[in-house]
Amino acid sequence: MSQTYQPVVGLEVHAVLETRSKMFCDCPLVDSTHAEPNVAVCPVCSGMPGMLPVINQAAVDYALRVALALNCQVHPTSIFARKSYFYPDLPKGFQISQYEQPLATQGWLEFDTLEGTQRVTIRRVHIEEDTGKLTHKHADGQRYSLVDLNRSGVPLLEIVTEPELHSVEAVRSCAYALRSVLRYVGVNSGNLEKGLLRIEPNISVRPAGSTDFGTRVEIKNLNSFRSLERATTYELQRQAALVQQGGQVVQQTLGWDDDRGVTVAQRSKEFAEDYRYFPEPDLPPLVLDPAWIEQVRAALPELPHARHNRFIERYDLTPYDAGVLTAERQVADFYEAVLEAAKQADAKLAAHWVSGPLFNLLNEAGVELHALQFGPAELAGLLDLVAGGSINAAGARQVLGELFAHGGPPAEIVERLGLQQISDPQQLQTWVAAVLQQNLQQVTEYLGGNAPLFNWLFGQALKLSGGKADPAKLRAELQRQIAATETSGEELP
Ligand code: ADP
Ligand code: MG
Ligand code: ZN
């Protein structure tokens, strides 16, 4: 994007509150990608006249967790309202949402960028219900649409930030941080592809240095973080080029065409729709007991950003490693459980083995941490063997592979696979002596100045040990014996 325009972006996020039942009825939440259409539907969520909604307390609990995790001011009383409009996926003709008196306002979220930690203001957090889903078909020369109400009435949390994001990196990082919070507090799995989390950037540009706001567009239908980034980048460039040429941005809702890599017009937003909001007469105001709010606050886990900072300070990890280890709560929990169980292995060693070899195995097998055949205690046991010098890194990798496949006590696996690292001085001496004797020519050349031959000789000795010699001690022994021949000036034994 050109230097002369500053990006201005605010996020509107819809997160499904993944409770058991819907927002105002007992129907279960079903997986939209597997369930048959219209299997989770009742008179309430299909909009039959005269049916009464009942507030799902679990959904309020979930919403409250997020509002508190986002440092919001939670309002003791909030009001559900009817947002009226016609659309075939909305059988009641209105959506129940919170409007004038939302659950919570004025919070903030911290996230990291290359320039350091940034903070975005959370304007509001409110509860609403989802709509049904339409599938448009075109067959036998006819166009028609199918209506699936499984999603109708599913609890949604809307989270709106102020337009305070000024780079694509900030947009991405803020969106990730928000997703991470939702996952940490256990209300949403963060799945964009399935539409469980929908992130819609509102985007405008303004001349650098200006504090006015330019006309914004809103982008919908982004089903991955990659799309969020690409669409934001594209749109910022499009707007900057347009304004530069003297054109004007039209306020509208855009879709993202992932194949072509362009934003496409969906509907013009030049005329604000009149939703005729009014308080939902079938629901009482949502009144929260202050004691309950405090209970939910007290039960919040340590949140990702705080945990990230604590990992850096307490375990002396790099920001990168701390980021990898705290992105998911279960990973961070696992890591800290390893540290808890370890007797000799330190935080850095554990960080390396969790974020490196263990993650590689998980990724290759497509397995989640909770499905592992072993627990943190086993990994700690293995790392203690490494830290204590009982096995070397290559051996430990083998043991980890074995743990991953079958589980079991690490010490037993080491024994069974014969991976015990050998550091007995007598034994090392014998191996080194044998190698020197068998390679007199190379030793002479090394002493004559061919330095790289040292590593070659070391490799021979390690090979002779079957890879089991303690590498540091073996190296020292090799150095010692070569130095001895040199100073004695004698022929090799
Ligand atoms: P509406 O209520 O019509 O959806 P809002 O003013 O509440 O509009 O803003 C919706 C979202 O758009 C918020 O995330 C906000 O930060 C963002 N936004 C508002 N104005 C701008 C702007 N000029 N540029 C970019 N984003 C904006
Ligand atoms: Mg809005
Ligand atoms: Zn229902």
Side-chain angles (χ1 to χ4, degrees):
M1 130 151 252
S2 104
Q3 287 292 315
T4 44
Y5 292 96
Q6 185 193 35
V8 177
V9 182
L11 298 179
E12 266 186 87
V13 174
H14 288 89
V16 169
L17 296 171
E18 294 181 44
T19 48
R20 253 177 307 134
S21 53
K22 291 187 179 180
M23 189 62 224
F24 301 115
C25 61
D26 286 341
C27 290
L29 268 63
V30 295
D31 187 334
S32 61
T33 48
H34 295 308
E36 289 288 309
N38 300 306
V39 290
V41 179
C42 74
V44 173
C45 58
S46 61
M48 295 294 149
M51 300 313 298
L52 289 177
V54 177
I55 297 171
N56 174 351
Q57 186 173 352
V60 178
D61 175 13
Y62 279 23
L64 195 48
R65 289 186 211 174
V66 178
L68 293 170
L70 295 176
N71 310 289
C72 288
Q73 209 177 312
V74 173
H75 302 297
T77 301
S78 56
I79 306 283
F80 287 103
R82 289 188 181 181
K83 177 182 182 179
S84 304
Y85 65 98
F86 172 76
Y87 209 65
D89 64 7
L90 188 70
K92 291 199 297 282
F94 60 85
Q95 178 191 25
I96 301 179
S97 179
Q98 296 188 314
Y99 183 55
E100 273 179 353
Q101 273 178 264
L103 178 78
T105 51
Q106 281 306 310
W108 47 266
L109 171 68
E110 281 182 336
F111 56 90
D112 286 318
T113 66
L114 291 176
E115 285 152 39
T117 297
Q118 294 189 22
R119 187 182 270 209
V120 71
T121 307
I122 304 294
R123 181 187 290 178
R124 60 188 276 140
V125 173
H126 78 237
I127 303 170
E128 59 186 39
E129 58 175 339
D130 210 344
T131 61
K133 204 172 121 190
L134 294 182
T135 307
H136 304 292
K137 296 269 184 188
H138 190 186
D140 304 329
Q142 292 215 313
R143 287 178 186 281
Y144 56 98
S145 297
L146 300 169
V147 183
D148 176 8
L149 295 182
N150 282 344
R151 213 179 60 182
S152 174
V154 162
L156 282 184
L157 197 66
E158 181 172 318
I159 302 159
V160 182
T161 79
E162 291 295 342
E164 296 170 344
L165 304 169
H166 300 298
S167 67
V168 175
E169 189 204 2
V171 169
R172 177 192 49 213
S173 177
C174 176
Y176 264 117
L178 187 54
R179 175 179 186 269
S180 196
V181 166
L182 293 169
R183 285 176 59 92
Y184 259 63
V185 301
V187 307
N188 181 280
S189 56
N191 191 323
L192 272 70
E193 230 168 277
K194 286 188 179 171
L196 294 172
L197 181 61
R198 301 165 214 157
I199 302 175
E200 290 157 8
N202 284 260
I203 301 173
S204 66
V205 296
R206 65 184 171 197
S210 162
T211 51
D212 295 341
F213 284 103
T215 306
R216 72 188 149 103
V217 304
E218 181 178 344
I219 306 181
K220 290 197 179 287
N221 301 342
L222 298 171
N223 53 18
S224 67
F225 278 93
R226 197 175 125 75
S227 303
L228 171 66
E229 252 184 275
R230 288 180 70 207
T232 304
T233 306
Y234 174 87
E235 187 55 27
L236 286 168
Q237 277 164 357
R238 184 187 74 84
Q239 290 186 16
L242 184 65
V243 175
Q244 189 124 48
Q245 288 158 19
Q248 274 186 343
V249 175
V250 178
Q251 182 168 348
Q252 59 184 332
T253 302
L254 300 172
W256 172 246
D257 184 330
D258 207 38
D259 294 333
R260 287 163 55 217
V262 296
T263 52
V264 290
Q266 282 198 329
R267 62 189 148 105
S268 162
K269 254 204 170 178
E270 274 180 288
F271 308 99
E273 282 176 85
D274 180 8
Y275 293 119
R276 304 183 338 270
Y277 281 101
F278 67 93
E280 164 62 68
D282 290 338
L283 286 173
L286 178 61
V287 179
L288 304 179
D289 178 356
W292 186 43
I293 298 178
E294 287 321 306
Q295 216 175 308
V296 174
R297 193 197 302 276
L300 286 180
E302 184 182 21
L303 295 166
H305 202 257
R307 202 166 195 183
H308 176 258
N309 289 343
R310 182 169 62 82
F311 274 28
I312 293 173
E313 271 180 31
R314 169 134 179 231
Y315 302 133
D316 196 25
L317 302 181
T318 62
Y320 178 81
D321 282 344
V324 170
L325 293 171
T326 56
E328 298 294 341
R329 186 177 167 187
Q330 48 163 321
V331 172
D333 287 347
F334 186 91
Y335 172 70
E336 291 207 280
V338 171
L339 296 186
E340 185 87 11
K343 294 189 186 72
Q344 276 186 281
D346 67 11
K348 288 201 171 196
L349 186 73
H352 165 75
W353 280 87
V354 170
S355 68
L358 178 59
F359 271 20
N360 289 343
L361 287 170
L362 290 167
N363 291 340
E364 276 166 27
V367 170
E368 297 262 352
L369 200 54
H370 62 80
L372 276 182
Q373 307 268 359
F374 63 98
E378 280 71 36
L379 185 57
L382 172 58
L383 298 184
D384 280 342
L385 294 176
V386 175
S390 307
I391 55 172
N392 58 30
R397 226 170 275 251
Q398 252 177 289
V399 177
L400 185 64
E402 194 62 19
L403 274 176
F404 192 78
H406 310 293
E412 251 178 62
I413 299 174
V414 169
E415 188 99 347
R416 178 152 44 83
L417 300 183
L419 292 170
Q420 195 73 255
Q421 182 163 273
I422 296 170
S423 44
D424 169 41
Q426 205 75 50
Q427 180 63 69
L428 297 182
Q429 222 169 315
T430 313
W431 281 324
V432 168
V435 165
L436 295 186
Q437 202 146 29
Q438 281 159 25
N439 299 287
L440 294 175
Q441 182 59 35
Q442 283 79 358
V443 175
T444 313
E445 280 179 34
Y446 168 71
L447 291 174
N450 189 349
L453 274 175
F454 183 85
N455 273 337
W456 183 84
L457 289 164
F458 172 74
Q460 296 302 306
L462 193 61
K463 202 159 135 195
L464 189 60
S465 79
K468 285 194 248 167
D470 176 325
K473 297 210 171 104
L474 186 69
R475 188 172 285 273
E477 177 60 19
L478 182 62
Q479 253 149 6
R480 195 188 64 77
Q481 287 196 26
I482 290 179
T485 26
E486 195 176 23
T487 48
S488 70
E490 284 171 17
E491 281 291 295
L492 289 161

